[in-house]
Amino acid sequence: ISKYTGNVKNPSTGNFSTGSYSLNKSLIKGEDLSREDEKIHHAIKNNATPVKTPFHAFSGTSRDFEHLAKNTKKGIFHSPAHISLSHCPKTAHQFSIGKTNEDRVKHIMHVHVQRGDKVFHIGKHSQMPDEHETVIPAGTKLKYSHSTQDDQHKIHHFKIHSQE
């Protein structure tokens, strides 16, 4: 799990990305996972447990879910990848990006996690413990509710609809 949370250097390009990048990219594309990604994937799925106390969590994104929801059935989004969230809105703001570099409005997912939803709190395993990270396992369906906006961010509100 520590590798999922940290920065990893791509040997072929020399570029750095988050450890979750290759795992989630493979899950989204339906590709075979590397042996290490397979271990991380199963660790997240096997350690996700039902929440006893509801909470709010946030994730910076480039997606305008308000626009995308118009093309879904009842606002339900299926995530083939794991979704990393923070309990700290400021952390999500750091990861939020606009649709283009010139776009001044950035996007944030705000997930209302309810009692019984399965998540994996990985903050104590993280290379970045100050992110207070929680992961929603791959295969989760999110129900879009609505979006709110301020000068810098468009915040997209969700609840977990169902989990595999």
Side-chain angles (χ1 to χ4, degrees):
I1 297 301
S2 177
K3 287 192 179 195
Y4 178 86
T5 67
N7 289 321
V8 177
K9 186 174 184 177
N10 182 325
S12 60
T13 66
N15 295 331
F16 283 89
S17 65
T18 61
S20 61
Y21 179 78
S22 70
L23 168 59
N24 283 331
K25 182 178 173 187
S26 295
L27 290 169
I28 290 167
K29 290 185 171 191
E31 299 172 345
D32 290 336
L33 300 178
S34 70
R35 186 173 177 195
E36 188 161 322
D37 282 350
E38 186 77 34
K39 286 169 57 178
I40 295 168
H41 174 64
H42 287 294
I44 292 169
K45 298 278 274 185
N46 294 337
N47 287 290
T49 57
V51 170
K52 293 180 182 170
T53 305
F55 65 91
H56 298 264
F58 309 87
S59 182
T61 182
S62 64
R63 305 280 185 247
D64 184 345
F65 287 101
E66 180 177 38
H67 175 72
L68 295 171
K70 295 173 186 172
N71 299 317
T72 66
K73 188 174 184 176
K74 299 183 180 181
I76 296 173
F77 290 87
H78 175 263
S79 179
H82 302 286
I83 302 170
S84 294
L85 304 162
S86 175
H87 296 258
C88 176
K90 287 182 181 180
T91 298
H93 289 236
Q94 293 170 352
F95 286 94
S96 66
I97 54 177
K99 209 168 182 169
T100 65
N101 288 339
E102 297 79 36
D103 194 349
R104 66 178 191 79
V105 176
K106 298 176 179 175
H107 300 277
I108 294 176
M109 293 176 67
H110 177 176
V111 181
H112 305 261
V113 181
Q114 303 296 307
R115 185 177 293 115
D117 292 341
K118 291 182 181 178
V119 301
F120 183 23
H121 298 286
I122 63 172
K124 64 183 176 185
H125 307 287
S126 178
Q127 290 184 31
M128 314 287 186
D130 55 323
E131 289 181 4
H132 307 286
E133 190 171 354
T134 292
V135 178
I136 296 174
T140 295
K141 290 183 180 179
L142 298 173
K143 170 78 170 148
Y144 170 80
S145 170
H146 67 285
S147 295
T148 56
Q149 189 167 343
D150 60 27
D151 290 340
Q152 295 179 332
H153 294 92
K154 193 171 197 179
I155 302 165
H156 309 283
H157 300 265
F158 292 90
K159 288 186 180 178
I160 293 175
H161 177 71
S162 62
Q163 295 180 294
E164 292 179 346

